[in-house]
């Protein structure tokens, strides 16, 4: 490559300065060429999120949930990430009314801190976002309301589809 | 002019010395470190507590990197004030690049211990990276290998810290030393200089032995109460971020662009004369000091995060109250409510007789595997370290005539 890059200059006078310039350009080209596979790999190798679809996590018996009351629940589950399996602990808030069940992820949609129950709604201690009991933003920097999680009931037990969403965005983008 | 030139030389040599110490201790540390989510903390704990020289290596690595950030800053500051920047453009640009690479190394190296501060601190930093306009999420995802902290994150940070950035630092260093070769040779052939250098290295080692690099409890992603705190040289950015919470791109986009752009443009800016340059440098330093001071004032009411030993002791007390009190009683007398109800032969921890008949190893086994039919086994719910801390708690609280 160096020879090809230098070729057009050969008939003329080849000064040391010119040679060094060409050499620098050629080295730059070679380095970026050989580092491309590594950068491509880092760019495309992402933790897997596809299998999460059939990942319903048991959150206990429906009848155990008090009616019209918020409950803090810790979900325990196994998570597969590339080659490794992890014990994962995630906090959720569950509310059961006469008709349906609402589940919020405890991860603040602003900067991924953990929100806490406060008065009638929720508040995030990190940047002072506050949310109503339906998860709507009342104050603070959060761009979207609390992330609601899908639920289903089977044989009297509540199953939650635990997903994580990208923090700090207006739309809910699932990331894992 | 004369004292300024001397500060520049001394800070350059100090930077080289610190850089050498950081690199060599880093090589030492990587001899027994694993960048994995499950093993990073145990490996660090092993280095700190169980290995023979790991503790010293960690201290050297930690304090030299701090020193490097400081001496590099002094060098750049004085070099700027001196006005050499126009004459030695290449040196200035290489110096700035080297400094940025060092800051990058500090950023990527922070997470490797994977204790509470490392995990949460890096989470905050990556959060700031995510707010970089246009390409923030792309950069953060590239570094993390995903949108959240995952099993590729530590290997990537480790590679950047120990190979990619280190190689770039070597390259810059080579070019810098190459262009100042004659000056270095002049210094190194001076007997007085060599003696001073040797004495300062020995002094640094003696100082370092008395201090240790911080290590907290292992990272717990579910700990809601934790407040991470950055190193002293990042405090100002942390404070600045609080004022521009409504527009985080100012902190992550505008500020770095202006700052770094200014540093790179310095050799080509109109030369104002030393007074003006000193005034600019001093006002930057004052701004830095004020912001850092404000963080310290802001944070003085926050409780200190416990280090590893303190955290384990607190955890041991909680574990005792949760797991042991029912039978052994709050005073360790063996008079807990369950022991009374079932009439169990629970021993009294406060007697000399109990401690004469048992050693630490036997106690570890008793807690881990249980004893007889009455004492349950806790090997499944407590780690070896937790069991050890629990036993120390019992010893400390109940053993007669206990001495550390």
């Amino acid at each position: 490559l160096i020879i090809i890059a230098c070729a057009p200059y050969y008939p003329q006078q080849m000064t040391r300065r010119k040679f060094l310039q060409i050499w620098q350009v050629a080295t730059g080209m070679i380095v970026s060429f050989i580092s491309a596979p590594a950068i491509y790999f880092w760019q495309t190798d992402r933790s897997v999120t596809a299998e999460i679809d059939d990942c319903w996590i048991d959150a206990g018996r429906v009848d155990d949930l008090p009616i019209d009351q918020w409950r803090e629940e810790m979900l325990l589950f196994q998570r597969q990430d590339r080659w490794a399996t992890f014990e994962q602990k995630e906090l959720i808030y569950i509310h059961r009314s006469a008709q349906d069940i609402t589940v919020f992820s405890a991860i603040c949609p602003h900067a991924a801190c953990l929100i806490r129950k406060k008065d009638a709604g929720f508040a995030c201690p990190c940047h002072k976002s506050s949310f109503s009991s339906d998860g709507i933003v009342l104050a603070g920097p959060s761009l979207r309301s609390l992330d609601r999680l899908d639920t289903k009931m089977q044989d009297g037990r509540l199953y939650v589809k635990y997903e994580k969403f990208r923090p700090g965005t207006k739309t809910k983008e699932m990331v894992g | 002019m004369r004292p300024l030139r001397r500060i520049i030389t001394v800070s350059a040599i100090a930077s080289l010395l610190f850089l050498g110490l950081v690199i060599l201790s880093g090589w030492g540390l990587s001899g027994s470190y694993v960048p994995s989510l499950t093993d990073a903390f145990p490996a660090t704990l092993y280095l700190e507590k169980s290995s023979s020289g790991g503790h010293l290596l960690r201290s050297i690595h930690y304090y030299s990197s701090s020193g490097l950030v400081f001496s590099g800053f002094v060098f750049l500051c004085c070099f700027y004030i001196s006005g050499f920047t126009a004459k030695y453009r290449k040196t200035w640009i290489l110096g700035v690049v080297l400094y940025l690479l060092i800051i990058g190394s500090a950023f990527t190296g922070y997470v490797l211990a994977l204790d509470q501060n490392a995990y949460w601190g890096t989470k905050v930093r990556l959060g700031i990276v995510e707010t970089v306009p246009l390409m923030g999420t792309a950069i953060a995802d590239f570094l993390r290998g995903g949108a959240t902290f995952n099993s590729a994150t530590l290997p990537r940070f480790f590679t950047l810290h120990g190979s990619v950035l280190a190689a770039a630092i070597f390259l810059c260093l080579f070019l810098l030393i190459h262009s100042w070769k004659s000056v270095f040779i002049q210094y190194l052939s001076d007997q007085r200089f060599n003696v001073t250098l040797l004495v300062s290295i020995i002094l640094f080692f003696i100082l370092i032995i008395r201090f240790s690099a911080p290590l907290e409890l292992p990272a717990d992603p579910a700990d809601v109460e934790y407040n991470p705190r950055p190193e002293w040289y990042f405090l100002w950015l942390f404070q600045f971020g609080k004022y521009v919470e409504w527009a985080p791109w100012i902190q992550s986009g505008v500020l770095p662009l202006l700052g770094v752009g200014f540093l790179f443009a310095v050799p080509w800016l109109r030369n104002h004369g030393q007074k003006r340059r000193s005034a600019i440098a001093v006002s930057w330093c004052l701004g830095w000091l004020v912001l850092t001071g404000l963080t310290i004032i802001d944070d003085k009411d926050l409780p200190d995060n416990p280090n590893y030993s303190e955290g384990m002791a607190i955890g041991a007390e909680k574990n005792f109250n949760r797991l042991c009190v029912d039978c052994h009683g709050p005073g360790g007398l063996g008079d807990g409510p369950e022991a009374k109800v079932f009439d169990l032969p629970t021993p009294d921890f406060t007697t000399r007789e109990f401690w004469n008949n048992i050693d630490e190893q036997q106690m570890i086994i008793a807690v881990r595997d249980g004893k007889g039919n009455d004492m349950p086994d806790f090997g499944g719910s407590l780690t070896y370290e937790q069991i050890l801390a629990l036993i120390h708690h019992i010893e400390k609280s109940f053993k007669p005539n206990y001495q550390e």
Side-chain angles (χ1 to χ4, degrees):
Chain A
L1 206 66
I2 297 171
I3 294 164
I4 297 166
C6 295
Y9 295 92
Y10 264 103
Q12 291 125 33
Q13 197 76 14
M14 187 62 172
T15 57
R16 185 183 146 82
R17 172 184 281 259
K18 197 178 261 174
F19 175 78
L20 283 177
Q21 275 175 357
I22 296 166
W23 188 82
Q24 278 174 2
V25 173
T27 324
M29 277 164 67
I30 293 169
V31 167
S32 42
F33 194 71
I34 56 178
S35 61
I39 293 173
Y40 176 78
F41 174 70
W42 276 36
Q43 185 60 35
T44 50
D45 173 51
R46 292 291 145 86
S47 56
V48 185
T49 55
E51 285 96 320
I52 208 103
D53 264 333
D54 47 349
C55 199
W56 292 94
I57 296 144
D58 192 345
R61 278 158 49 84
V62 177
D63 293 340
D64 291 349
L65 294 169
I67 289 187
D68 278 333
Q69 227 178 63
W70 281 99
R71 201 153 125 168
E72 210 180 276
E73 193 80 45
M74 191 68 91
L75 288 183
L76 292 169
F77 56 99
Q78 294 257 320
R79 197 169 62 102
Q80 183 73 30
D81 178 15
R82 293 191 181 80
W83 64 87
T85 317
F86 296 101
E87 291 286 335
Q88 188 97 355
K89 273 196 265 179
E90 297 288 355
L91 197 68
I92 55 169
Y93 286 98
I94 307 180
H95 182 267
R96 181 182 172 208
S97 69
Q99 298 86 29
D100 64 346
I101 292 177
T102 312
V103 175
F104 285 127
S105 165
I107 296 175
C108 177
H110 170 237
C113 292
L114 288 176
I115 54 159
R116 288 158 213 186
K117 190 85 197 72
K118 199 175 181 191
D119 307 327
F122 300 92
C124 176
C126 295
H127 305 98
K128 315 272 178 287
S129 290
S130 63
F131 306 89
S132 73
S133 58
D134 335 317
I136 294 162
V137 189
L138 296 175
S142 180
L143 293 173
R144 63 164 193 265
S145 46
L146 288 181
D147 297 321
R148 215 182 160 123
L149 300 173
D150 286 345
T151 54
K152 73 173 179 189
M153 272 172 279
Q154 211 171 14
D155 309 327
R157 297 188 79 84
L158 174 69
Y159 291 88
V160 176
K161 185 167 151 190
Y162 192 83
E163 292 173 325
K164 278 189 175 164
F165 303 93
R166 191 180 287 289
T169 55
K170 216 166 198 159
T171 50
K172 220 169 135 181
E173 183 200 342
M174 203 262 283
V175 292
Chain B
M1 206 57 177
R2 207 70 205 143
L4 203 58
R5 204 176 271 203
R6 181 158 289 176
I7 299 176
I8 292 173
T9 321
V10 169
S11 60
I13 290 166
S15 303
L16 281 178
L17 183 64
F18 283 136
L19 202 53
L21 283 167
V22 166
I23 290 169
L24 291 170
S25 58
W27 282 344
L29 287 170
S30 63
S32 185
Y33 174 79
V34 196
S36 96
L37 279 179
T38 43
D39 291 345
F41 184 80
T44 314
L45 188 66
Y46 166 79
L47 279 165
E48 183 67 29
K49 303 269 179 206
S50 314
S51 66
S52 48
H55 172 81
L56 182 66
L57 276 180
R58 280 195 78 231
S59 307
I60 295 174
H61 202 65
Y62 180 80
Y63 288 104
S64 325
S65 63
S66 250
L68 182 55
V69 171
F70 179 73
S71 61
F73 182 79
V74 172
F75 174 81
L76 286 181
C77 222
C78 293
F79 205 83
Y80 168 70
I81 294 171
S82 71
F84 288 153
T85 45
K87 196 175 166 196
Y88 303 108
R89 279 183 186 162
K90 199 174 139 197
T91 305
W92 173 257
I93 296 294
L94 278 173
V96 170
V97 171
L98 192 57
Y99 200 69
L100 293 177
L101 287 171
I102 287 162
I103 297 287
S105 300
F107 175 91
T108 46
Y110 197 71
V111 74
L112 297 180
L114 207 64
D115 62 354
Q116 283 276 64
N117 201 31
Y119 175 81
W120 289 102
T122 304
K123 230 176 153 184
V124 171
R125 280 152 207 234
L126 283 170
I128 296 174
V129 171
E130 278 195 4
T131 61
V132 173
L134 302 176
M135 49 192 182
T137 38
I139 298 172
D141 287 3
F142 183 79
L143 294 175
R144 273 187 304 230
T148 50
F149 209 93
N150 59 67
S151 41
T153 310
L154 271 179
R156 282 180 188 212
F157 275 67
F158 183 59
T159 307
L160 286 171
H161 183 74
S163 310
V164 181
L165 291 171
I169 286 173
F170 271 118
L171 184 67
C172 281
L173 208 57
F174 171 76
L175 294 172
L176 263 178
I177 293 178
H178 190 71
S179 54
W180 290 91
K181 212 167 28 187
S182 53
V183 179
F184 280 113
I185 291 170
Q186 192 194 325
Y187 272 94
L188 284 172
S189 54
D190 180 357
Q191 210 60 32
R192 244 179 51 211
F193 171 78
N194 283 334
V195 172
T196 323
L197 195 66
L198 200 68
V199 169
S200 27
I201 294 175
I202 293 169
L203 270 178
F204 181 73
F205 271 49
I206 292 171
L207 268 176
I208 281 298
I209 288 177
R210 313 187 132 267
F211 295 101
S212 53
L215 185 66
E216 296 179 8
L217 288 175
D220 178 7
D223 186 353
V224 273
E225 309 291 335
Y226 190 79
N227 288 302
R229 254 159 283 179
E231 302 103 320
W232 57 268
Y233 46 86
F234 279 138
L235 283 175
W236 66 277
L237 194 64
F238 182 62
Q239 186 69 15
F240 184 78
K242 288 185 198 164
Y243 300 128
V244 291
E245 236 161 48
W246 45 274
W249 47 269
I250 295 179
Q251 184 193 18
S252 59
V254 177
L255 189 74
L257 207 66
L258 281 179
V260 175
F262 171 75
L263 287 177
F264 278 117
V266 157
W268 290 274
L269 292 179
R270 206 158 61 89
N271 228 334
H272 288 302
Q274 199 180 333
K275 260 196 190 140
R276 183 84 170 267
R277 284 195 305 267
S278 310
I280 293 175
V282 168
S283 52
W284 274 94
C285 292
L286 272 180
W288 182 88
L289 272 176
V290 167
L291 280 176
T292 307
L294 281 173
T295 334
I296 294 168
I297 294 169
D298 263 13
D299 283 358
K300 75 173 187 309
D301 296 329
L302 285 179
D304 273 337
N305 295 318
N307 67 30
Y308 181 76
S309 320
E310 291 162 5
M312 287 307 274
I314 296 167
E317 197 180 341
K318 278 188 190 153
N319 282 333
F320 183 81
N321 292 333
R322 189 164 61 94
L323 304 169
C324 314
V325 156
D326 282 346
C327 295
H328 290 282
L333 298 164
D335 58 350
E338 265 183 58
K340 274 185 192 155
V341 171
F342 296 107
D343 196 23
L344 302 175
T346 319
D348 184 350
F349 291 148
T350 56
T351 57
R352 212 174 283 266
E353 191 190 335
F354 172 80
W355 294 99
N356 287 340
N357 292 325
I358 198 162
D359 65 13
E360 196 180 76
Q361 205 55 41
Q362 286 169 312
M363 279 191 81
I364 293 172
I365 293 169
V367 177
R368 194 188 64 191
D369 303 335
K371 205 160 188 193
N373 292 327
D374 303 326
M375 168 123 172
D377 59 291
F378 296 103
S381 53
L382 298 178
T383 64
Y384 177 76
E385 298 282 338
Q386 283 172 320
I387 292 174
L388 216 56
L390 183 64
I391 288 166
H392 285 158
H393 170 73
I394 293 170
E395 249 181 290
K396 208 169 150 188
S397 319
F398 310 122
K399 192 176 179 177
N401 303 328
Y402 174 76
Q403 275 156 353
E404 281 285 339

